[in-house]
Amino acid sequence: MHAKQQKHQQMLRAAKRLFTAHGFERTSMQKIADEANVGVATLFRYFPKKELLISEIVIELIEQMMPQFEAIITSEATGYEKMNAILDTYIDYIFTANREAVTILENFEYYATYNPIDVEIMANIKNAYTKIGHSITLAIAQGQQDGSITLNPEAELTAHTMMNVFGIAMKKHAFTSFMPYEILPTPKKEQLQQVKHMILHYLKG
């Protein structure tokens, strides 16, 4: 069993490297097998189709973030302080050694837009994403209960809109930061921090 787990991880690591460098569509199962130093038949025994390999990687990357968010949500901080910590965690995540993870997640969004994905596989990925979104919902709800967040309907819509923009800007930074700024302007860390402060301002109502 230990040898099987090692081979399983070996193939996942190879797939991550290739998906990061070339995207999902241009990475064949044969290329992954070659990168992992296994036969393509072996790869298909572990992952009968590429979507299963993609989904396992995407879910694993999302769930790696969850312990940080869970620690924030279960802390004794106010809801407002928790939202501040959650947004800081997002920013820190892309400005540390996580380009591979964010690039794969961004690639997946493009891939899923143009390629039909098995309903059950997509449901599992959606469930993983929902866990992170639930952390934000909980923090806001706790803030409204403890009085640290006071949202009127208009401010709530603005806050959620800005959080969506914040998320898009973070992914764009990780996905395009290797390009010269003059060619493809990329949000800087201080700009993301500024958007974070604007979101927190609206959460105050």
Side-chain angles (χ1 to χ4, degrees):
M1 182 62 72
H2 182 62
K4 286 185 177 181
Q5 289 175 341
Q6 284 186 326
K7 187 165 288 187
H8 183 92
Q9 290 301 314
Q10 180 180 331
M11 290 183 284
L12 286 177
R13 287 193 297 269
K16 284 180 187 178
R17 289 193 295 270
L18 292 175
F19 289 154
T20 302
H22 307 294
F24 297 122
E25 291 182 318
R26 289 186 293 168
T27 300
S28 67
M29 293 293 272
Q30 182 64 63
K31 288 181 179 178
I32 295 170
D34 292 343
E35 179 77 10
N37 294 313
V38 300
V40 70
T42 299
L43 179 61
F44 273 108
R45 278 202 302 274
Y46 282 79
F47 303 99
K49 50 187 176 181
K50 189 165 71 172
E51 282 185 358
L52 292 171
L53 181 55
I54 291 171
S55 67
E56 182 164 338
I57 290 172
V58 168
I59 291 171
E60 179 185 274
L61 292 174
I62 295 170
E63 291 185 343
Q64 284 174 356
M65 295 185 277
M66 282 310 301
Q68 298 176 71
F69 293 116
E70 288 170 354
I72 292 169
I73 290 300
T74 57
S75 71
E76 296 298 320
T78 66
Y80 179 87
E81 291 167 340
K82 289 177 182 180
M83 274 302 302
N84 183 45
I86 287 172
L87 296 176
D88 276 340
T89 299
Y90 272 120
I91 293 173
D92 290 342
Y93 185 78
I94 67 164
F95 282 93
T96 54
N98 293 295
R99 175 178 287 184
E100 178 188 74
V102 181
T103 299
I104 287 175
L105 293 176
E106 181 75 355
N107 273 331
F108 173 73
E109 293 185 13
Y110 284 109
Y111 180 82
T113 300
Y114 298 104
N115 296 275
I117 296 177
D118 180 86
V119 174
E120 185 176 347
I121 292 174
M122 199 63 188
N124 291 334
I125 294 172
K126 182 180 178 181
N127 182 57
Y129 271 108
T130 300
K131 291 178 183 177
I132 292 180
H134 188 56
S135 298
I136 294 173
T137 301
L138 278 176
I140 292 176
Q142 290 173 9
Q144 290 174 311
Q145 289 178 354
D146 62 35
S148 62
I149 293 176
T150 53
L151 281 176
N152 59 51
E154 182 179 346
E156 183 173 7
L157 175 61
T158 302
H160 281 290
T161 300
M162 294 180 70
M163 278 189 277
N164 286 334
V165 171
F166 179 80
I168 293 168
M170 286 195 306
K171 287 185 291 184
K172 181 179 179 183
H173 179 278
F175 193 60
T176 62
S177 57
F178 63 92
M179 294 286 288
Y181 186 83
E182 293 75 16
I183 296 176
L184 190 59
T186 302
K188 299 180 183 294
K189 186 172 184 177
E190 54 268 27
Q191 291 174 317
L192 293 176
Q193 289 282 1
Q194 182 63 29
V195 175
K196 183 198 80 167
H197 291 311
M198 293 169 69
I199 292 171
L200 293 174
H201 171 76
Y202 276 97
L203 290 178
K204 285 288 192 181

